PDB file of all heavy atoms in Angstrom:
ATOM      1  N   GLY A 104      14.870  29.377  -6.740  1.00 81.00           N
ATOM      2  CA  GLY A 104      15.791  28.620  -5.882  1.00 81.00           C
ATOM      3  C   GLY A 104      16.242  29.424  -4.685  1.00 81.00           C
ATOM      4  O   GLY A 104      15.617  29.397  -3.642  1.00 81.00           O
ATOM      5  N   LYS A 105      17.328  30.187  -4.827  1.00 88.00           N
ATOM      6  CA  LYS A 105      17.836  31.005  -3.727  1.00 88.00           C
ATOM      7  C   LYS A 105      17.176  32.375  -3.778  1.00 88.00           C
ATOM      8  O   LYS A 105      17.144  33.008  -4.823  1.00 88.00           O
ATOM      9  CB  LYS A 105      19.355  31.145  -3.820  1.00 88.00           C
ATOM     10  CG  LYS A 105      20.092  29.841  -3.587  1.00 88.00           C
ATOM     11  CD  LYS A 105      21.586  30.071  -3.571  1.00 88.00           C
ATOM     12  CE  LYS A 105      22.310  28.753  -3.308  1.00 88.00           C
ATOM     13  NZ  LYS A 105      23.770  28.915  -3.351  1.00 88.00           N
ATOM     14  N   TYR A 106      16.683  32.821  -2.641  1.00 94.00           N
ATOM     15  CA  TYR A 106      15.959  34.085  -2.596  1.00 94.00           C
ATOM     16  C   TYR A 106      16.849  35.205  -2.072  1.00 94.00           C
ATOM     17  O   TYR A 106      17.754  34.987  -1.273  1.00 94.00           O
ATOM     18  CB  TYR A 106      14.716  33.964  -1.714  1.00 94.00           C
ATOM     19  CG  TYR A 106      13.787  32.849  -2.113  1.00 94.00           C
ATOM     20  CD1 TYR A 106      13.164  32.061  -1.158  1.00 94.00           C
ATOM     21  CD2 TYR A 106      13.546  32.560  -3.454  1.00 94.00           C
ATOM     22  CE1 TYR A 106      12.310  31.034  -1.529  1.00 94.00           C
ATOM     23  CE2 TYR A 106      12.702  31.531  -3.833  1.00 94.00           C
ATOM     24  CZ  TYR A 106      12.084  30.774  -2.864  1.00 94.00           C
ATOM     25  OH  TYR A 106      11.250  29.749  -3.231  1.00 94.00           O
ATOM     26  N   ILE A 107      16.549  36.408  -2.517  1.00 95.00           N
ATOM     27  CA  ILE A 107      17.272  37.577  -2.026  1.00 95.00           C
ATOM     28  C   ILE A 107      17.000  37.718  -0.521  1.00 95.00           C
ATOM     29  O   ILE A 107      15.864  37.509  -0.075  1.00 95.00           O
ATOM     30  CB  ILE A 107      16.854  38.844  -2.810  1.00 95.00           C
ATOM     31  CG1 ILE A 107      17.765  40.009  -2.454  1.00 95.00           C
ATOM     32  CG2 ILE A 107      15.389  39.188  -2.596  1.00 95.00           C
ATOM     33  CD1 ILE A 107      17.643  41.191  -3.385  1.00 95.00           C
ATOM     34  N   PRO A 108      18.020  38.064   0.276  1.00 95.00           N
ATOM     35  CA  PRO A 108      17.827  38.101   1.734  1.00 95.00           C
ATOM     36  C   PRO A 108      17.146  39.369   2.261  1.00 95.00           C
ATOM     37  O   PRO A 108      17.103  39.588   3.461  1.00 95.00           O
ATOM     38  CB  PRO A 108      19.265  37.993   2.263  1.00 95.00           C
ATOM     39  CG  PRO A 108      20.089  38.633   1.203  1.00 95.00           C
ATOM     40  CD  PRO A 108      19.409  38.287  -0.100  1.00 95.00           C
ATOM     41  N   VAL A 109      16.637  40.196   1.370  1.00 96.00           N
ATOM     42  CA  VAL A 109      15.894  41.378   1.803  1.00 96.00           C
ATOM     43  C   VAL A 109      14.502  41.351   1.175  1.00 96.00           C
ATOM     44  O   VAL A 109      14.295  40.728   0.138  1.00 96.00           O
ATOM     45  CB  VAL A 109      16.602  42.702   1.412  1.00 96.00           C
ATOM     46  CG1 VAL A 109      17.968  42.799   2.052  1.00 96.00           C
ATOM     47  CG2 VAL A 109      16.691  42.868  -0.088  1.00 96.00           C
ATOM     48  N   PHE A 110      13.576  42.001   1.831  1.00 96.00           N
ATOM     49  CA  PHE A 110      12.237  42.172   1.273  1.00 96.00           C
ATOM     50  C   PHE A 110      12.122  43.638   0.876  1.00 96.00           C
ATOM     51  O   PHE A 110      11.964  44.504   1.725  1.00 96.00           O
ATOM     52  CB  PHE A 110      11.158  41.797   2.287  1.00 96.00           C
ATOM     53  CG  PHE A 110       9.800  41.650   1.662  1.00 96.00           C
ATOM     54  CD1 PHE A 110       9.286  40.403   1.400  1.00 96.00           C
ATOM     55  CD2 PHE A 110       9.047  42.766   1.301  1.00 96.00           C
ATOM     56  CE1 PHE A 110       8.033  40.252   0.811  1.00 96.00           C
ATOM     57  CE2 PHE A 110       7.803  42.630   0.710  1.00 96.00           C
ATOM     58  CZ  PHE A 110       7.295  41.370   0.466  1.00 96.00           C
ATOM     59  N   PRO A 111      12.234  43.924  -0.443  1.00 97.00           N
ATOM     60  CA  PRO A 111      12.172  45.324  -0.868  1.00 97.00           C
ATOM     61  C   PRO A 111      10.740  45.845  -0.941  1.00 97.00           C
ATOM     62  O   PRO A 111       9.787  45.080  -1.013  1.00 97.00           O
ATOM     63  CB  PRO A 111      12.814  45.307  -2.257  1.00 97.00           C
ATOM     64  CG  PRO A 111      12.864  43.891  -2.695  1.00 97.00           C
ATOM     65  CD  PRO A 111      12.514  43.017  -1.533  1.00 97.00           C
ATOM     66  N   THR A 112      10.629  47.141  -0.940  1.00 97.00           N
ATOM     67  CA  THR A 112       9.352  47.802  -1.163  1.00 97.00           C
ATOM     68  C   THR A 112       9.608  48.996  -2.080  1.00 97.00           C
ATOM     69  O   THR A 112      10.704  49.552  -2.083  1.00 97.00           O
ATOM     70  CB  THR A 112       8.700  48.239   0.169  1.00 97.00           C
ATOM     71  OG1 THR A 112       7.398  48.758  -0.086  1.00 97.00           O
ATOM     72  CG2 THR A 112       9.530  49.286   0.901  1.00 97.00           C
ATOM     73  N   ILE A 113       8.618  49.346  -2.863  1.00 98.00           N
ATOM     74  CA  ILE A 113       8.751  50.462  -3.805  1.00 98.00           C
ATOM     75  C   ILE A 113       7.914  51.639  -3.312  1.00 98.00           C
ATOM     76  O   ILE A 113       6.732  51.476  -3.008  1.00 98.00           O
ATOM     77  CB  ILE A 113       8.263  50.059  -5.221  1.00 98.00           C
ATOM     78  CG1 ILE A 113       8.969  48.796  -5.717  1.00 98.00           C
ATOM     79  CG2 ILE A 113       8.447  51.214  -6.202  1.00 98.00           C
ATOM     80  CD1 ILE A 113      10.459  48.913  -5.873  1.00 98.00           C
ATOM     81  N   ASP A 114       8.529  52.795  -3.242  1.00 97.00           N
ATOM     82  CA  ASP A 114       7.798  54.010  -2.902  1.00 97.00           C
ATOM     83  C   ASP A 114       7.000  54.421  -4.132  1.00 97.00           C
ATOM     84  O   ASP A 114       7.584  54.736  -5.177  1.00 97.00           O
ATOM     85  CB  ASP A 114       8.776  55.118  -2.492  1.00 97.00           C
ATOM     86  CG  ASP A 114       8.076  56.392  -2.050  1.00 97.00           C
ATOM     87  OD1 ASP A 114       7.209  56.893  -2.801  1.00 97.00           O
ATOM     88  OD2 ASP A 114       8.400  56.903  -0.963  1.00 97.00           O
ATOM     89  N   SER A 115       5.682  54.427  -4.024  1.00 96.00           N
ATOM     90  CA  SER A 115       4.841  54.680  -5.191  1.00 96.00           C
ATOM     91  C   SER A 115       4.839  56.139  -5.636  1.00 96.00           C
ATOM     92  O   SER A 115       4.307  56.462  -6.693  1.00 96.00           O
ATOM     93  CB  SER A 115       3.403  54.215  -4.926  1.00 96.00           C
ATOM     94  OG  SER A 115       2.910  54.804  -3.757  1.00 96.00           O
ATOM     95  N   ASN A 116       5.448  57.021  -4.861  1.00 95.00           N
ATOM     96  CA  ASN A 116       5.566  58.420  -5.269  1.00 95.00           C
ATOM     97  C   ASN A 116       6.868  58.691  -6.007  1.00 95.00           C
ATOM     98  O   ASN A 116       6.902  59.463  -6.971  1.00 95.00           O
ATOM     99  CB  ASN A 116       5.476  59.350  -4.052  1.00 95.00           C
ATOM    100  CG  ASN A 116       4.080  59.368  -3.461  1.00 95.00           C
ATOM    101  OD1 ASN A 116       3.107  59.582  -4.166  1.00 95.00           O
ATOM    102  ND2 ASN A 116       3.984  59.109  -2.168  1.00 95.00           N
ATOM    103  N   THR A 117       7.956  58.057  -5.563  1.00 96.00           N
ATOM    104  CA  THR A 117       9.277  58.346  -6.138  1.00 96.00           C
ATOM    105  C   THR A 117       9.816  57.218  -7.015  1.00 96.00           C
ATOM    106  O   THR A 117      10.725  57.442  -7.814  1.00 96.00           O
ATOM    107  CB  THR A 117      10.298  58.599  -5.014  1.00 96.00           C
ATOM    108  OG1 THR A 117      10.458  57.386  -4.254  1.00 96.00           O
ATOM    109  CG2 THR A 117       9.847  59.729  -4.100  1.00 96.00           C
TER     110      THR A 117
END
Side-chain angles (χ1 to χ4, degrees):
K105 293 185 179 177
Y106 305 140
I107 189 167
V109 299
F110 193 102
T112 186
I113 306 298
D114 183 308
S115 54
N116 290 308
T117 65

